Amino acid sequence: MALSYFPNAARVGSPQPPVESSPKQHLNEGVQEVYVEHRNKLLQALDSTKSILGDLRLFNKDNWVVRYPQLREQPAPAAESSNASRRKSMRRSLSFPDDPSFEAEVIVSPAKDGLTRSVTLATISDKDEEPTAEAEEEGDRLISPAEASDFHVFRLDLKLGAHGSSSSPAALVAQLEKSSIANLLDDRILNAVGHLDKLRSRIEDTSSKVLVTGDLNAGKSTFVNALLRREVMPVDQQPCTTAFCEVHDASENDGKEELHIPKEGVPYSVADESTFTRASLTDLDAIVSENENESQVLKVYLADPRDPQASLLSNGIVDISLIDAPGLNRDNTHTTRVFSRQEEIDVVVFVVSAENHFTLSAKEFLIQASHEKAYLFIVVNKYEQIRDKAKCRRLVLEQIKQLSPRTYEDAEDLVHFVDSQQALHNDTAPFSNLQSALRSFVLVKRSKSKLAPASTYLTKLLSDVDLLVGANAIVAQTELDRAQNDLNRVRPVLEKMKSGREALEETLESVEDHGATRTRMRTKELLADAIERVGQGKLGVDDVAISMPSYTGLLGIWDYVHEVRRALISSLDAAVKLAENEARIVTTEAVNKITQLGDEHLPEGVERSRRVFMPEAMFSTRADKKGNRKSRRAAGAVVAGGIYGLGIGLAQRPEMLETTFFDLFDVHHQFWVHFGEGKVDDGEDMAVSTLGFASVGLGALTMIGGKALGARGLFEGVVRVWDLLENETARRWAAPVIGAVTIGLAAYFVIELPSTVPRTVGRRIKASLARESEEMGEEGSFVGGHAARVSRETRKVLRLASWDLKERFRAAMDEHGREVHGAEEIERRARKALEWFHEVERRASEVRESVVLVGAV
């Protein structure tokens, strides 16, 4: 409700009822009870606010880096412009100097009961705002809408330089770490805690301190003398007050009028003479003049003979001290001392010259003082010397409206236009009204004069707390939403990866085993078939690069046998090459399958493998650490090759290329065919040539001749044949018979040999490979060794591709796990911070309800 400082009947000159109580009991008991009640509530509010600030500092240090918000005004839409003056909510752009990337549109809503502010995201429809009467718009607020989006106590000056330059200090502030700005904010909070302690001391102090200050030559000392109705303070045309002169009632000094000069470095006590030096009041002028360049605090004790109901100093109610301060714009040192001293003051009486109005120093002082004291007592001195008084009054009031809105609202009681010099000698009505108003403000309206400054500071401090925690609650909510969105996005992916990891590994193992097994079996099939073909005297594979040599005649029979052997062996090497090519195809298919598995199981955003599979690189020779090329044979492996460019293989093994007599006459094979069980390998030609019989006969003769006939019988047979040849007739028939036999043998050599040699050589190659298999086992055989080698190469490639996919899958799962853990941690911290900020808002609201700004009844 709207409050007035003075009832109309309380003007000066009104008859006062006689007082029968003691000198300190002039106040109405009801008013005193209300004052005490308000004081106790305010003390509790101070303690609660101090507790909130302490918790805020601890939370800032241990749990959450409290961010310092900046709010910039946003232009209202055209549709809202007509109703803007009737709304409490104001759209602002919220940002933070330590995070230029963050920006959100918010609504700052000062509550109707005073300074409490709420900061919410601008997603709430304006129609949800409660309608308020125009009378409640400004009258119930201690801060204007223009001030609602800025700090009062916690304000940090981060604009250190001109904007728009990347090298300016202002640009550098944006690069400050969050902790740096948080430390600056912590210092402000700590200063506020210290000021709350000073406020508590002031409230608990039953006395009231009235500071009289203003610009140089504004007539401060003259005004104090007029209040005292005595010329005590030094007065001169030049500035003469350089010390703080505290005027007390002489009753506090055993009724003695004197001057006390406190000793430096010793706390002053009126009861301890060792803390001060006594002097006469007549020496005040000389002491001030002699110590013009020194800053002093002088204690002046005066006896006011006037009636207590007319005297401010000797009022019979509370102890009052009038403090005459040096001029603000004398120098920086004195101005700073006055600024700092006002924090200890209950009432500020600001004296301004009607000739000069408010200077820059005066404006700065009033702005700072208004942070705590919503109501200031302003004296416009030397007013009677102004010719255009109406213009002077209008200009001064306009300035007061800007500097102290609350003071302007009660300007009738708080702003007085007087002439102190004239009132010092002749009592005037304006000055009498001033005295009555000041006395009522200091004594009767103590809830206004003594409690209001603390209440104003406290409510502005709570307003800053509201703005701070409201903005940080938005940040916490934003981080909470972001963390929950991240969890909703990442957590299902992580769970899917966890559940599919085993299946992926099993599938990869299956692809690897299937590829290796398939190449092993196919290699065995190809090489076994090639060996069978070679055993039949055919090339192992149909390769245009390899062909059987041509038979050049009996004279080149040996070279023919050698080339046949080389061709057949090279065809086996070509079969190995064919097996390798098919293994490359199988491996390529398996690698593509692994790639598809990666596309199926790896989540989006995970980089796929950049490895490029080159099938031609399989089965190639490798260089050791010294750069030497190492063949697979040197490494103990059986590989393909030969003169056909396939590497080191059977065609490069000297023992395999060695040609023997048995490549022409396979005696053992023919004997086995004719005298064995009569079975040969499948597919072998059963036709027996004459050359075969001859070789069998020769073999039989060499093997059993000696045993069947005996050596003696054989010798006797030869002698008989020799005797037969001595016969003329026998000799005549022997020549044709031997010639026929020789011609027959030559014919058979020419006709049968070219087709018989490949089969004979092939059988021997096959038999040689079979013996190696028996000696070295399956893995050491030609077929088994190559099958194992091709299978190993395939498995190696697939294992590498599988390992790469597994590693990417593991890394992606670890990354998603860390992301989930980080999001969960952010969610936990943000949720805790959000709950804590809401709790602080609740606590601040409870404290604010106890801070009641009312006048004395």
Side-chain angles (χ1 to χ4, degrees), residues 162-183:
H163 291 275
S165 173
S166 61
S167 60
S168 66
L172 297 178
V173 170
Q175 301 177 10
L176 288 175
E177 296 181 355
K178 296 177 183 179
S179 58
S180 300
I181 296 181
N183 290 336

Side-chain angles (χ1 to χ4, degrees), residues 66-348:
V66 178
R67 311 281 293 279
Y68 182 80
Q70 289 181 331
L71 296 171
R72 297 192 306 273
E73 187 173 358
Q74 292 284 86
E80 299 180 359
S81 298
S82 60
N83 299 325
S85 61
R86 303 188 51 150
R87 290 181 180 168
K88 293 191 173 188
S89 298
M90 296 173 294
R91 291 182 178 272
R92 295 290 185 268
S93 176
L94 174 65
S95 61
F96 298 90
D98 53 24
D99 186 8
S101 62
F102 182 94
E103 186 170 359
E105 186 177 355
V106 298
I107 295 178
V108 183
S109 303
K112 64 182 181 180
D113 292 332
L115 296 171
T116 176
R117 289 180 282 190
S118 64
V119 183
T120 57
L121 289 173
T123 55
I124 304 175
S125 176
D126 290 337
K127 67 181 181 181
D128 295 335
E129 298 176 6
E130 296 181 1
T132 57
E134 290 185 6
E136 296 176 341
E137 285 289 325
E138 302 296 337
D140 294 338
R141 300 182 191 168
L142 290 178
I143 55 174
S144 64
E147 298 175 318
S149 59
D150 198 2
F151 286 103
H152 302 89
V153 180
F154 293 161
R155 182 180 299 170
L156 299 178
D157 186 12
L158 299 179
K159 297 180 180 180
L160 304 179
H163 291 275
S165 173
S166 61
S167 60
S168 66
L172 297 178
V173 170
Q175 301 177 10
L176 288 175
E177 296 181 355
K178 296 177 183 179
S179 58
S180 300
I181 296 181
N183 290 336
L184 295 176
L185 184 60
D186 183 73
D187 291 340
R188 288 300 173 92
I189 297 176
L190 183 60
N191 292 337
V193 172
H195 191 69
L196 290 178
D197 292 335
K198 294 180 181 179
L199 290 177
R200 166 171 271 281
S201 300
R202 280 166 49 185
I203 295 173
E204 291 176 339
D205 186 4
T206 58
S207 64
S208 293
K209 296 180 180 180
V210 180
L211 176 69
V212 181
T213 186
D215 289 327
L216 288 174
N217 291 328
K220 300 181 300 300
S221 298
T222 303
F223 171 74
V224 173
N225 289 337
L227 285 177
L228 298 174
R229 290 293 191 269
R230 296 175 61 177
E231 293 189 12
V232 179
M233 298 295 105
V235 177
D236 196 350
Q237 295 295 329
Q238 300 180 7
C240 61
T241 304
T242 60
F244 286 91
C245 297
E246 295 187 10
V247 182
H248 297 262
D249 187 11
S251 62
E252 300 178 23
N253 190 36
D254 297 330
K256 299 177 183 179
E257 286 191 338
E258 59 184 6
L259 175 65
H260 290 182
I261 306 174
K263 295 182 179 180
E264 186 176 358
V266 180
Y268 170 77
S269 174
V270 67
D272 188 357
E273 294 190 12
S274 64
T275 62
F276 61 89
T277 301
R278 297 180 185 272
S280 174
L281 291 179
T282 56
D283 298 331
L284 179 59
D285 196 350
I287 292 174
V288 171
S289 300
E290 292 174 1
N291 300 277
E292 184 177 354
N293 296 324
E294 296 182 9
S295 299
Q296 294 179 306
V297 178
L298 304 177
K299 306 289 184 178
V300 180
Y301 293 92
L302 294 178
D304 191 344
R306 291 179 295 172
D307 186 272
Q309 296 184 14
S311 174
L312 178 64
L313 194 63
S314 180
N315 56 76
I317 301 174
V318 294
D319 294 332
I320 297 293
S321 60
L322 286 173
I323 304 174
D324 185 14
L328 290 177
N329 50 1
R330 178 181 178 89
D331 56 50
N332 291 335
T333 303
H334 288 86
T335 300
T336 302
R337 292 181 66 235
V338 174
F339 272 53
S340 61
R341 191 68 188 273
Q342 69 91 15
E343 296 181 353
E344 308 170 4
I345 302 304
D346 297 313
V347 179
V348 172

Side-chain angles (χ1 to χ4, degrees), residues 574-603:
V576 174
K577 179 64 176 178
L578 179 61
E580 291 178 349
N581 290 336
E582 292 197 8
R584 290 186 176 96
I585 296 174
V586 172
T587 305
T588 301
E589 294 175 355
V591 169
N592 292 336
K593 175 63 176 177
I594 293 175
T595 302
Q596 294 176 1
L597 290 174
D599 294 336
E600 294 174 2
H601 290 80
L602 289 179

